[in-house]
Amino acid sequence: MNNQKLFMLLLGCKPKGRYTEQHDVFFGVAASIKELIPQIKEFWPEADEKIHIDAWREVSNVDKNSIKLVPKNEDNSYSNLKLFFINLGGYKQNEFDEFHYKMLTVAASKGEAIQKAKQTAFFKHTQFEGANAHIDDKYGIDVDDMFDIEDILPEDVKQHYRLSISIAENTIEDEIRLGYFKLSVIAAE
C-alpha cells in the first residue's frame, strides 16, 4: 500500500548575516511531515537549526482535480494535465516590499496556467503604473517562478512515483496549515 503523500511547505529562517527572515517553498514526498525533516535540512543546509515551517499543506486537491502520488509503473494511462507551482510577485503603492502569492494550479500547459494566474485577485490588485504584478518576461507577464511539480521533485522520487491528476468535481480544497512550526517540535511528536 502506498502511503506516500505530496507536501508543499513554506520554509523560513534567518541565515547568518541577513537582517530579515528568508523564505523558500519546498515540495517533498513522505508519509508525514515528520518524515520530511531530513529532506528539509538537505534542501536548505545553510539554515542550520534555525529553519522552521511557516505554512504547509498535503497536496491532494487543486482546482477541482484530485492529485495522487502513484507508483511510476502503475496504470500507464496518463492525463495531459500537469500540476504547476507559480510564485507571483507584485507591489502596492507606498509599501516598501514586494508581495508574493504562491499558487498551485492544474493546467494542460504553462500558457493555460499563466491565464489562470492572471485571473487571481492578487495579480489584479498588486500593480500600478511603473510597478506591475509579474510572472517573468518570457511568459508575457512577469512570473517570479513557475514550475511543473513533477520536474522539481527529487530524482529518487521521480524514479519511483508520478502524479496522477484526475477531474473530481466534488473535492474539498486542501487545508492550509499556518503558524510557526519548529522542526524540533515536529521531530519529537
Side-chain angles (χ1 to χ4, degrees):
M1 183 171 141
N2 178 20
N3 64 349
Q4 300 295 293
K5 303 169 192 170
L6 174 64
F7 290 94
M8 176 183 182
L9 287 71
L10 178 64
L11 302 176
C13 80
K14 191 167 103 180
K16 185 177 180 179
R18 300 293 177 185
Y19 298 112
T20 61
E21 183 175 323
Q22 312 288 293
H23 291 94
D24 204 348
V25 174
F26 169 77
F27 290 91
V29 171
S32 68
I33 289 289
K34 182 177 181 175
E35 289 182 19
L36 284 174
I37 292 173
Q39 295 175 50
I40 292 167
K41 289 179 178 181
E42 185 178 323
F43 175 75
W44 201 346
E46 307 83 11
D48 288 328
E49 296 301 314
K50 297 176 182 132
I51 197 166
H52 62 274
I53 300 170
D54 283 313
W56 68 274
R57 74 189 267 186
E58 179 184 325
V59 181
S60 58
N61 296 297
V62 177
D63 296 343
K64 296 185 179 179
N65 288 275
S66 173
I67 312 295
K68 293 182 181 164
L69 194 67
V70 297
K72 194 170 186 173
N73 60 1
E74 180 183 296
D75 184 18
N76 291 330
S77 60
Y78 289 91
S79 163
N80 68 334
L81 298 174
K82 296 177 182 289
L83 179 61
F84 290 98
F85 163 64
I86 302 174
N87 182 29
L88 292 166
Y91 307 94
K92 294 180 183 177
Q93 206 151 15
N94 298 317
E95 295 275 345
F96 190 80
D97 207 351
E98 178 187 5
F99 297 90
H100 287 94
Y101 177 69
K102 293 150 186 64
M103 65 180 282
L104 292 177
T105 193
V106 171
S109 68
K110 284 185 176 183
E112 182 182 329
I114 287 168
Q115 291 308 311
K116 287 183 174 188
K118 284 182 175 182
Q119 300 309 309
T120 64
F122 178 89
F123 188 81
K124 293 175 182 177
H125 299 291
T126 54
Q127 60 183 336
F128 53 92
E129 189 174 327
N132 293 326
H134 51 277
I135 299 184
D136 176 343
D137 331 90
K138 63 185 170 190
Y139 300 117
I141 58 173
D142 270 342
V143 173
D144 272 359
D145 305 288
M146 180 174 186
F147 301 97
D148 177 336
I149 297 299
E150 283 193 328
D151 290 344
I152 62 172
L153 290 174
E155 280 305 314
D156 62 322
V157 171
K158 290 192 278 191
Q159 288 177 6
H160 297 96
Y161 298 99
R162 68 175 179 81
L163 294 180
S164 173
I165 303 171
S166 58
I167 296 171
E169 290 294 325
N170 295 321
T171 61
I172 297 172
E173 289 296 309
D174 299 332
E175 178 182 355
I176 296 175
R177 293 166 178 93
L178 302 168
Y180 186 90
F181 305 97
K182 287 183 172 184
L183 295 188
S184 60
V185 173
I186 294 169
E189 291 178 347

